[in-house]
Amino acid sequence: MNVPSLPVSSSEPVSTQGVIAAGAYVDGRRVANIAISEASSWRAKPGHVVWIGLHEPDMALLGAVQKQFDLHDLAIEDANNAHQRPKIEQYGEALFIVARTAQLIEGRIAFGETHIFVGEGYLVSVRHGASTSYTPVRERCESCPRALARGEDYILYAILDFIVDNYSPVLESIHEEVEGIEDDVLSKPISKAQIERLYMLRRDLLRLRTAIGPLVEVCRRLEHDELSMVRATMQPLFRDVTDHVRNIQERIDSIRGAGLRLRGEPAGRTGAGDGGLQEARLVARHHRDPDRACGHLRHELQAHAGAGLGVRLLRAARRDARVMRRTLLALPPRRMAVKRRAG
């Protein structure tokens, strides 16, 4: 399809600050590095795709890109103002997509956004805030011209897949920290600082889950809706991204459940008995090792029965009924005595 070139005024030069990369591609191979002012003419050539990457552009640069591709005013306004939820909007034959990005910075999850414009013969990505550069995406695509030759919707898939992939290092770092705290708590009473850190991580994980949740609907629409910019052959790839997002959600829930709901006393009031209670409750949530959880609970019940802690353990077990039920059902019959005691 030949796309008519739009008349663009060149009376006001546009700063290149904020332009990370801009190239024209034919059959999956880069044929030219282009200026923003040339984008429309390259896009109009048969078989050509223009791929532009921007990082925190000013309004003048966004305006220049808008003129080249006749982008909708509302989409440009959104791209200029971060703090958008993940979404997909259609303007004529073009799509505007928002996705949230995440990085772990100084122990906290920092969020950013990527706004993507997709139309016949072009894709423009706009990054704001905490986000990994998409240079690796471009390099990976360029290393496989046959895949890149699929066109704009393949580039869209590659960027979304990269965004979701980069949630994993954040979760892995948090998971390692949580496991470190769990191991520490098994050998000594939990400290106030550890409790505060666990709650902070839990809040960050909840924010991450909230931030990426709407991305499932974005990918679902790319997979199922009859969008002019997404060919049927690309829909299975967007299904993979949907599954990937859901997997990330499950991992978040697993980490939040594996110790992040720990309750405890401030360090100054935590004695050996309270430490045993906290340990038992923490291990009870350690679903991956039900035998270990059962053993710790039995030990605490037997060691402290009649001393007041046994009653507290029974109450804790009741509060954790759903967790313990799943744990105990996974045990052989000889261990079911604990279920009767905790019931």
Side-chain angles (χ1 to χ4, degrees), residues 129-150:
S131 172
T132 302
S133 170
Y134 296 151
T135 298
V137 181
R138 191 180 293 263
E139 291 174 347
R140 189 182 311 155
C141 289
E142 290 180 348
S143 70
C144 187
R146 182 176 179 180
L148 184 54
R150 297 185 184 187

Side-chain angles (χ1 to χ4, degrees), residues 18 48 67 112 143 151 196 220 253 282 290:
H48 284 60
K67 291 179 181 179
S143 70
E196 290 175 347
R220 189 204 65 76
D253 292 341
L282 178 60

